[in-house]
Amino acid sequence: MDYKSSDNILDLQYFGEFGGVNPSISDSSTYTFISAKTMSDTFEGNTEGCYLYSRHSSPSNLYLAEALATLEGTENANVYASGMGAITSVILQLCNAGDHLVSSRTIYGGTYAFLKNFVKKFNVDTSFVDITAIEAVKNAITPKTKMIYCEAVSNPLLEIADIKALAALAKKHNIPLVVDNTFSPLSILPAKLGANIVIHSLTKFINGTSDTVAGVVCGTTDFCASLKDVNNGAAMLLGSTLDSYRAASILKNMRTLHIRIKKHSENALYLSQNFEKDGLRVVYPGLASHPSHSKMKQQMVAEYGFGGIMTLDVGSLDKANALMELMQERNLGYLAVSLGFYKTLFSAPGTSTSSEIPMEEQEQMGLSNGLIRLSIGLDNDIERTYNMIKKCMIDLGILS
Ligand SMILES: *Cc1c(COP(=O)(O)O)cnc(C)c1O
């Protein structure tokens, strides 16, 4: 991969109103026009250089969007008030009543619930498939299919989508490949591998401080403009608008994303290798034992590593709960959903973030009850952390 996301992001230079090193925050919901003619042109979609109303766009949101388009190497991007705001806008923009989607079956619980339950009212139907089986994806496509939807690294099982192969399949059927890249910013660049639309929950690694929810859609200028269209745009009409103050703070956090991702990856690799050696069932794309290890190696930007998320299967929900409680008590992290924080976060996906997925489907896809998902933090001394977690496991009889 020769696209240099981090260098390009750091090269983006925005001066504040008084020469500040950060851009000024646009503290207005509405904007004045010198001439009435410019206002009517702006309503008709000719918004070049003019701001109309902050649900449509604002200077702070456009700066952040530009940085995110630069991250993914797409023409353009729109930011949202949450990852779900971004995901639902894309799906509702591209699908009409009676349409069909093909989606990975291992996706974020909220996305799964939206596709499985919510869009039913529009008679939009989804086939959920094993995204690593290209043949199954291909067989699920019908003349009514409007997109292939997946996560680059799936939640919570960390399956790796073969983006090049999926993009080729989508192209053949003249439909977009939509990839949620929340788990793997910088390390996977889906648009560079052929995806048409890339989505992130900025809430996670990209913001990295667990203080806000936000999302983004990266794609072509045409698609981003269609989302903001005052007559037909899902972003404009559903109104999931990010506040300028939050956009400004997320942009500042993005400046250190490359350093954080490298550290998250380094720490997760260390823990996963050592817990695997200890005989635990560990899922991490950086392990040779992971079914998608070679696929990940092929499509990743090597310097950012295999990401900060790993799972451990400790056998039963009771053990998982006891371990998480003890780890929190010993200040090893927090028993909390979400990911990408400086501190390790852990949860049992079967009873939390993936609980929207029915039990029998969870079993089918290998999502067992004793599974703990860990978002590994930025611990400075990861060997010390490893020893402390291991001590918790020994004290609970998970390891001897
Ligand atoms: C958290 C998450 C979302 C939803 O994002 P919000 O910002 O919480 O709305 C979507 N996809 C993935 C993979 C996520 O982890």
Coordinates of all heavy atoms in Angstrom, one line a residue, residues 165-245:
A165 N -11.6 -9.0 -3.2 CA -12.5 -9.9 -3.8 C -14.0 -9.5 -3.7 O -14.7 -9.6 -4.7 CB -12.4 -11.3 -3.1
L166 N -14.4 -8.9 -2.6 CA -15.7 -8.4 -2.4 C -16.0 -7.2 -3.4 O -17.1 -7.1 -4.0 CB -16.0 -8.0 -1.0 CG -16.1 -9.1 0.0 CD1 -16.0 -8.6 1.5 CD2 -17.4 -10.0 -0.2
A167 N -15.0 -6.4 -3.5 CA -15.1 -5.2 -4.4 C -15.3 -5.6 -5.9 O -16.1 -5.1 -6.6 CB -13.9 -4.3 -4.3
A168 N -14.5 -6.7 -6.2 CA -14.6 -7.2 -7.6 C -16.0 -7.7 -7.9 O -16.7 -7.5 -8.9 CB -13.6 -8.2 -7.8
L169 N -16.6 -8.4 -6.8 CA -17.9 -9.0 -7.0 C -19.0 -7.9 -7.0 O -19.9 -8.0 -7.9 CB -18.1 -9.9 -5.7 CG -19.4 -10.7 -5.7 CD1 -19.5 -11.7 -6.8 CD2 -19.5 -11.5 -4.3
A170 N -18.8 -6.9 -6.2 CA -19.8 -5.8 -6.2 C -19.7 -5.1 -7.5 O -20.8 -4.8 -8.1 CB -19.4 -4.8 -5.1
K171 N -18.5 -4.9 -8.0 CA -18.4 -4.1 -9.3 C -19.1 -4.9 -10.4 O -19.7 -4.3 -11.3 CB -16.9 -4.0 -9.6 CG -16.6 -3.0 -10.7 CD -15.2 -2.6 -10.8 CE -15.0 -1.6 -11.9 NZ -13.6 -1.3 -12.2
K172 N -18.9 -6.2 -10.4 CA -19.5 -7.1 -11.4 C -21.0 -6.9 -11.5 O -21.7 -7.0 -12.5 CB -19.1 -8.5 -11.2 CG -19.2 -9.4 -12.4 CD -18.6 -10.8 -12.1 CE -19.5 -11.8 -12.7 NZ -19.5 -13.1 -12.0
H173 N -21.6 -6.7 -10.3 CA -23.1 -6.5 -10.2 C -23.5 -5.1 -10.2 O -24.6 -4.8 -9.9 CB -23.6 -7.3 -8.9 CG -23.5 -8.8 -9.1 ND1 -22.4 -9.5 -8.8 CD2 -24.4 -9.7 -9.6 CE1 -22.6 -10.8 -9.0 NE2 -23.9 -10.9 -9.5
N174 N -22.5 -4.2 -10.3 CA -22.8 -2.8 -10.4 C -23.5 -2.2 -9.1 O -24.4 -1.4 -9.2 CB -23.7 -2.5 -11.6 CG -23.4 -1.1 -12.2 OD1 -22.5 -0.4 -11.8 ND2 -24.4 -0.6 -13.0
I175 N -23.0 -2.8 -8.0 CA -23.5 -2.3 -6.7 C -22.3 -1.9 -5.8 O -21.2 -2.3 -6.0 CB -24.4 -3.4 -5.9 CG1 -23.6 -4.7 -5.8 CG2 -25.7 -3.6 -6.6 CD1 -24.3 -5.8 -5.0
P176 N -22.6 -1.0 -4.9 CA -21.4 -0.6 -4.0 C -21.1 -1.6 -2.9 O -21.9 -2.3 -2.4 CB -21.9 0.7 -3.4 CG -23.4 0.6 -3.4 CD -23.8 -0.2 -4.6
L177 N -19.8 -1.6 -2.6 CA -19.3 -2.3 -1.5 C -19.1 -1.3 -0.3 O -18.4 -0.3 -0.5 CB -18.0 -3.0 -1.7 CG -17.3 -3.6 -0.5 CD1 -18.1 -4.8 0.1 CD2 -15.9 -4.1 -0.8
V178 N -19.9 -1.5 0.8 CA -19.9 -0.6 1.9 C -19.1 -1.3 3.0 O -19.5 -2.4 3.5 CB -21.3 -0.2 2.3 CG1 -21.3 0.8 3.5 CG2 -22.1 0.4 1.1
V179 N -18.1 -0.6 3.5 CA -17.3 -1.3 4.6 C -17.2 -0.4 5.8 O -16.8 0.8 5.8 CB -15.8 -1.5 4.1 CG1 -15.0 -2.1 5.2 CG2 -15.8 -2.4 2.8
D180 N -17.6 -0.9 7.0 CA -17.4 -0.3 8.3 C -16.0 -0.6 8.7 O -15.7 -1.8 9.0 CB -18.5 -0.8 9.2 CG -18.4 -0.3 10.6 OD1 -17.3 0.2 11.0 OD2 -19.4 -0.3 11.4
N181 N -15.2 0.4 8.8 CA -13.8 0.2 9.2 C -13.4 0.6 10.6 O -12.3 0.9 10.9 CB -12.9 1.0 8.1 CG -11.5 0.5 8.1 OD1 -11.2 -0.6 8.4 ND2 -10.6 1.4 7.7
T182 N -14.4 0.6 11.5 CA -14.2 1.1 12.8 C -13.1 0.4 13.6 O -12.4 1.1 14.4 CB -15.5 1.0 13.6 OG1 -16.6 1.7 12.9 CG2 -15.4 1.5 15.0
F183 N -12.9 -0.9 13.4 CA -12.0 -1.6 14.1 C -10.5 -1.5 13.6 O -9.6 -1.8 14.3 CB -12.3 -3.2 14.1 CG -13.3 -3.6 15.1 CD1 -14.3 -2.8 15.5 CD2 -13.1 -4.8 15.8 CE1 -15.3 -3.2 16.4 CE2 -14.0 -5.3 16.7 CZ -15.1 -4.5 17.1
S184 N -10.4 -0.9 12.4 CA -9.0 -1.0 11.8 C -8.6 0.3 11.1 O -8.2 0.3 9.9 CB -8.9 -2.2 10.8 OG -10.1 -2.3 10.1
P185 N -8.8 1.5 11.7 CA -8.4 2.7 11.0 C -6.9 2.7 10.8 O -6.1 2.1 11.7 CB -8.7 3.8 12.0 CG -8.8 3.2 13.4 CD -9.3 1.8 13.1
L186 N -6.4 3.2 9.7 CA -5.0 3.2 9.3 C -4.5 1.9 8.9 O -3.8 1.7 7.9 CB -4.1 3.8 10.4 CG -4.2 5.3 10.7 CD1 -3.2 5.7 11.8 CD2 -3.8 6.1 9.5
S187 N -4.8 0.8 9.6 CA -4.2 -0.5 9.3 C -4.9 -1.1 8.1 O -4.2 -1.9 7.3 CB -4.1 -1.4 10.5 OG -5.4 -1.6 11.1
I188 N -6.2 -0.9 7.9 CA -6.8 -1.3 6.6 C -7.4 -0.1 5.9 O -8.0 0.8 6.6 CB -7.9 -2.4 6.9 CG1 -7.3 -3.6 7.5 CG2 -8.6 -2.7 5.5 CD1 -8.2 -4.8 7.7
L189 N -7.1 0.1 4.7 CA -7.7 1.2 3.9 C -8.6 0.7 2.8 O -8.2 0.5 1.7 CB -6.5 2.0 3.3 CG -5.5 2.6 4.2 CD1 -4.4 3.3 3.5 CD2 -6.2 3.7 5.1
P190 N -9.9 0.4 3.2 CA -10.8 -0.3 2.3 C -11.0 0.4 0.9 O -11.0 -0.3 -0.1 CB -12.1 -0.3 3.1 CG -11.7 -0.2 4.5 CD -10.5 0.7 4.5
A191 N -11.0 1.7 0.9 CA -11.2 2.4 -0.4 C -10.1 2.1 -1.3 O -10.2 2.0 -2.5 CB -11.4 3.9 -0.1
K192 N -8.9 2.0 -0.7 CA -7.7 1.7 -1.6 C -7.7 0.3 -2.1 O -7.0 -0.1 -3.0 CB -6.4 2.0 -0.8 CG -6.2 3.5 -0.4 CD -6.0 4.3 -1.7 CE -6.0 5.8 -1.4 NZ -6.2 6.5 -2.7
L193 N -8.5 -0.5 -1.5 CA -8.6 -1.9 -1.9 C -9.9 -2.1 -2.8 O -10.2 -3.3 -3.2 CB -8.7 -2.9 -0.7 CG -7.5 -2.9 0.2 CD1 -7.8 -3.5 1.6 CD2 -6.3 -3.6 -0.4
G194 N -10.6 -1.1 -3.0 CA -11.7 -1.2 -4.0 C -13.1 -0.9 -3.4 O -14.1 -0.9 -4.1
A195 N -13.2 -0.7 -2.1 CA -14.5 -0.4 -1.5 C -15.0 1.0 -2.0 O -14.2 1.9 -2.2 CB -14.5 -0.4 0.0
N196 N -16.3 1.1 -2.1 CA -16.9 2.3 -2.6 C -17.2 3.3 -1.5 O -17.1 4.5 -1.7 CB -18.2 2.1 -3.4 CG -17.9 1.1 -4.5 OD1 -18.1 -0.1 -4.3 ND2 -17.6 1.5 -5.7
I197 N -17.7 2.8 -0.4 CA -18.0 3.7 0.7 C -17.4 3.1 2.0 O -17.5 1.9 2.2 CB -19.6 3.7 0.9 CG1 -20.2 4.4 -0.4 CG2 -20.0 4.5 2.1 CD1 -21.7 4.1 -0.5
V198 N -16.8 4.0 2.8 CA -16.1 3.5 4.0 C -16.8 4.3 5.2 O -16.9 5.5 5.1 CB -14.6 3.7 4.0 CG1 -14.0 3.2 5.3 CG2 -14.0 3.1 2.8
I199 N -17.2 3.6 6.2 CA -17.9 4.2 7.4 C -17.0 3.9 8.6 O -16.3 2.9 8.7 CB -19.3 3.5 7.6 CG1 -20.1 3.7 6.3 CG2 -20.0 4.1 8.8 CD1 -21.5 3.0 6.4
H200 N -17.0 4.9 9.5 CA -16.4 4.7 10.8 C -17.4 5.2 11.9 O -18.0 6.2 11.8 CB -15.2 5.5 11.0 CG -13.9 5.0 10.3 ND1 -13.1 4.1 10.9 CD2 -13.4 5.3 9.1 CE1 -12.1 3.8 10.0 NE2 -12.3 4.6 9.0
S201 N -17.3 4.5 13.0 CA -17.8 5.1 14.3 C -16.6 5.8 14.8 O -15.6 5.1 15.2 CB -18.3 4.0 15.3 OG -18.4 4.6 16.6
L202 N -16.6 7.1 14.9 CA -15.4 7.9 15.3 C -15.3 7.8 16.9 O -14.3 8.1 17.4 CB -15.6 9.4 15.0 CG -15.8 9.7 13.5 CD1 -16.0 11.1 13.2 CD2 -14.6 9.2 12.7
T203 N -16.4 7.3 17.5 CA -16.5 7.1 18.9 C -15.3 6.2 19.5 O -15.0 6.3 20.6 CB -17.8 6.4 19.2 OG1 -18.9 7.0 18.5 CG2 -18.1 6.4 20.7
K204 N -14.8 5.4 18.6 CA -13.8 4.4 19.1 C -12.4 4.9 18.9 O -12.0 5.8 19.5 CB -14.1 3.1 18.3 CG -15.6 2.7 18.2 CD -16.3 2.5 19.5 CE -17.8 2.4 19.4 NZ -18.3 1.4 18.4
F205 N -11.6 4.2 18.1 CA -10.2 4.5 18.0 C -9.9 5.9 17.5 O -9.0 6.6 18.0 CB -9.4 3.6 17.1 CG -9.3 2.2 17.7 CD1 -10.1 1.1 17.2 CD2 -8.3 1.9 18.7 CE1 -9.9 -0.1 17.8 CE2 -8.2 0.7 19.2 CZ -9.0 -0.4 18.8
I206 N -10.7 6.4 16.5 CA -10.3 7.7 15.9 C -10.4 8.8 16.9 O -9.5 9.6 16.9 CB -11.2 7.9 14.6 CG1 -10.8 6.8 13.6 CG2 -11.0 9.3 14.1 CD1 -11.5 6.9 12.2
N207 N -11.4 8.9 17.7 CA -11.4 9.9 18.7 C -10.5 9.5 19.9 O -9.7 10.2 20.3 CB -12.9 10.2 19.2 CG -12.9 11.3 20.2 OD1 -12.3 12.4 19.9 ND2 -13.5 11.1 21.3
G208 N -10.8 8.2 20.4 CA -9.8 7.6 21.3 C -9.9 8.1 22.7 O -9.1 7.6 23.5
T209 N -10.8 8.9 23.1 CA -10.9 9.4 24.5 C -12.2 9.0 25.2 O -12.5 9.5 26.3 CB -10.5 10.9 24.6 OG1 -11.2 11.6 23.6 CG2 -9.1 11.1 24.5
S210 N -13.0 8.2 24.5 CA -14.3 7.8 25.1 C -15.1 8.9 25.7 O -15.7 8.8 26.8 CB -14.1 6.7 26.1 OG -13.6 5.5 25.5
D211 N -15.1 10.1 25.0 CA -15.8 11.2 25.6 C -17.0 11.7 24.6 O -17.7 12.6 24.9 CB -14.9 12.4 25.9 CG -14.0 12.8 24.7 OD1 -14.1 12.2 23.6 OD2 -13.2 13.7 24.9
T212 N -17.1 11.0 23.5 CA -18.1 11.5 22.6 C -18.5 10.4 21.6 O -17.8 9.4 21.4 CB -17.7 12.7 21.8 OG1 -18.9 13.3 21.1 CG2 -16.7 12.4 20.7
V213 N -19.7 10.5 21.0 CA -20.1 9.6 19.9 C -20.1 10.4 18.6 O -20.5 11.6 18.7 CB -21.5 8.9 20.1 CG1 -21.4 7.8 21.1 CG2 -22.6 9.9 20.5
A214 N -19.6 9.8 17.6 CA -19.6 10.5 16.3 C -19.4 9.4 15.2 O -18.9 8.3 15.5 CB -18.5 11.5 16.2
G215 N -19.6 9.8 13.9 CA -19.4 8.9 12.8 C -19.0 9.6 11.6 O -19.1 10.8 11.5
V216 N -18.7 8.8 10.5 CA -18.3 9.4 9.3 C -18.6 8.5 8.1 O -18.6 7.2 8.3 CB -16.8 9.8 9.2 CG1 -15.9 8.5 9.2 CG2 -16.5 10.6 8.0
V217 N -19.0 9.0 7.0 CA -19.1 8.3 5.7 C -18.1 8.9 4.8 O -18.0 10.1 4.5 CB -20.5 8.5 5.1 CG1 -20.6 7.9 3.7 CG2 -21.6 7.9 6.0
C218 N -17.2 8.0 4.2 CA -16.2 8.5 3.3 C -16.5 7.9 1.9 O -16.8 6.7 1.8 CB -14.8 8.0 3.7 SG -14.2 8.5 5.3
G219 N -16.5 8.7 0.9 CA -16.9 8.2 -0.4 C -16.6 9.3 -1.5 O -15.8 10.2 -1.3
T220 N -17.3 9.1 -2.6 CA -17.1 10.1 -3.7 C -17.8 11.4 -3.3 O -18.7 11.5 -2.5 CB -17.7 9.6 -5.0 OG1 -19.1 9.5 -4.8 CG2 -17.1 8.3 -5.5
T221 N -17.3 12.5 -4.0 CA -17.9 13.8 -3.8 C -19.4 13.7 -4.2 O -20.3 14.3 -3.5 CB -17.2 14.8 -4.6 OG1 -15.9 14.9 -4.1 CG2 -17.9 16.2 -4.6
D222 N -19.8 13.0 -5.2 CA -21.2 12.9 -5.7 C -22.0 12.2 -4.6 O -23.1 12.7 -4.3 CB -21.3 12.0 -6.9 CG -21.0 12.9 -8.2 OD1 -20.8 14.1 -8.0 OD2 -20.9 12.3 -9.3
F223 N -21.5 11.1 -4.0 CA -22.3 10.4 -3.0 C -22.4 11.3 -1.8 O -23.5 11.4 -1.2 CB -21.7 9.1 -2.7 CG -22.5 8.3 -1.7 CD1 -23.8 7.9 -2.0 CD2 -22.0 8.0 -0.4 CE1 -24.6 7.2 -1.1 CE2 -22.8 7.3 0.5 CZ -24.1 6.9 0.1
C224 N -21.4 11.9 -1.3 CA -21.4 12.8 -0.1 C -22.4 13.9 -0.3 O -23.2 14.3 0.6 CB -20.0 13.3 0.3 SG -19.0 11.9 0.9
A225 N -22.4 14.5 -1.6 CA -23.3 15.6 -1.9 C -24.8 15.1 -1.9 O -25.7 15.7 -1.4 CB -23.0 16.2 -3.2
S226 N -25.0 13.8 -2.4 CA -26.3 13.3 -2.4 C -26.9 13.1 -1.0 O -28.1 13.3 -0.7 CB -26.4 12.0 -3.2 OG -25.8 10.9 -2.5
L227 N -26.0 12.7 0.0 CA -26.4 12.6 1.4 C -26.8 13.9 2.0 O -27.7 13.9 2.9 CB -25.3 12.0 2.2 CG -25.0 10.5 2.0 CD1 -23.6 10.1 2.5 CD2 -26.0 9.6 2.6
K228 N -26.3 15.0 1.5 CA -26.6 16.3 2.1 C -27.6 17.1 1.3 O -27.9 18.2 1.6 CB -25.3 17.1 2.0 CG -24.3 16.8 3.1 CD -23.3 17.9 3.1 CE -22.0 17.5 3.8 NZ -21.0 18.6 3.7
D229 N -28.2 16.4 0.2 CA -29.1 17.1 -0.6 C -30.3 17.6 0.2 O -30.9 16.8 1.0 CB -29.6 16.2 -1.7 CG -30.5 16.8 -2.7 OD1 -31.7 17.0 -2.5 OD2 -29.9 17.2 -3.8
V230 N -30.7 18.8 0.0 CA -31.8 19.4 0.9 C -33.2 18.7 0.5 O -34.1 18.8 1.4 CB -31.9 20.9 0.8 CG1 -30.7 21.6 1.4 CG2 -32.1 21.4 -0.7
N231 N -33.3 18.1 -0.6 CA -34.6 17.5 -1.0 C -34.6 16.0 -0.7 O -35.7 15.4 -0.4 CB -34.9 17.7 -2.4 CG -35.2 19.2 -2.7 OD1 -36.0 19.8 -2.0 ND2 -34.5 19.8 -3.6
N232 N -33.5 15.3 -0.9 CA -33.5 13.9 -0.8 C -32.3 13.3 0.0 O -32.2 12.0 0.0 CB -33.3 13.3 -2.2 CG -34.5 13.6 -3.1 OD1 -35.6 13.1 -2.7 ND2 -34.4 14.3 -4.2
G233 N -31.6 14.1 0.7 CA -30.4 13.5 1.4 C -30.7 13.0 2.8 O -31.2 13.7 3.6
A234 N -30.3 11.7 3.0 CA -30.5 11.1 4.3 C -29.8 11.9 5.4 O -30.3 12.0 6.5 CB -30.1 9.7 4.3
A235 N -28.6 12.4 5.2 CA -27.9 13.1 6.2 C -28.6 14.4 6.6 O -28.8 14.7 7.8 CB -26.4 13.4 5.8
M236 N -29.0 15.1 5.5 CA -29.7 16.3 5.7 C -31.1 16.1 6.4 O -31.5 16.9 7.3 CB -29.9 17.0 4.4 CG -30.4 18.4 4.4 SD -29.3 19.5 5.3 CE -30.3 21.0 5.2
L237 N -31.8 15.1 5.9 CA -33.2 15.0 6.4 C -33.4 14.2 7.7 O -34.3 14.4 8.4 CB -34.0 14.4 5.2 CG -34.0 15.2 3.9 CD1 -34.8 14.5 2.8 CD2 -34.6 16.6 4.2
L238 N -32.5 13.2 7.9 CA -32.6 12.5 9.2 C -31.9 13.3 10.3 O -32.3 13.1 11.5 CB -32.0 11.1 9.1 CG -32.6 10.2 8.1 CD1 -31.8 8.9 7.9 CD2 -34.1 9.9 8.4
G239 N -31.0 14.2 10.0 CA -30.5 15.2 10.9 C -29.6 14.7 12.0 O -29.5 15.3 13.1
S240 N -28.7 13.7 11.7 CA -27.8 13.2 12.7 C -26.5 14.1 12.6 O -25.5 13.6 12.2 CB -27.5 11.7 12.4 OG -26.5 11.2 13.2
T241 N -26.6 15.3 13.0 CA -25.6 16.3 12.7 C -24.6 16.4 13.9 O -25.0 16.5 15.1 CB -26.2 17.7 12.6 OG1 -27.2 17.6 11.6 CG2 -25.1 18.7 12.1
L242 N -23.3 16.3 13.6 CA -22.3 16.5 14.7 C -22.1 17.9 15.1 O -22.2 18.8 14.2 CB -20.9 15.9 14.1 CG -19.8 15.9 15.1 CD1 -20.1 15.0 16.3 CD2 -18.5 15.4 14.3
D243 N -22.0 18.1 16.4 CA -21.8 19.5 16.9 C -20.3 20.0 16.5 O -19.4 19.2 16.6 CB -22.0 19.5 18.4 CG -21.9 20.9 18.9 OD1 -22.8 21.7 18.7 OD2 -20.8 21.2 19.5
S244 N -20.2 21.2 16.2 CA -18.9 21.8 15.8 C -17.8 21.6 16.9 O -16.7 21.4 16.6 CB -19.0 23.3 15.5 OG -19.7 23.4 14.3
Y245 N -18.2 21.8 18.2 CA -17.2 21.6 19.3 C -16.7 20.2 19.3 O -15.5 20.0 19.5 CB -17.9 22.0 20.6 CG -17.9 23.4 20.9 CD1 -19.0 24.2 20.5 CD2 -16.9 24.1 21.5 CE1 -19.1 25.5 20.7 CE2 -16.9 25.5 21.8 CZ -18.0 26.2 21.4 OH -18.1 27.5 21.6

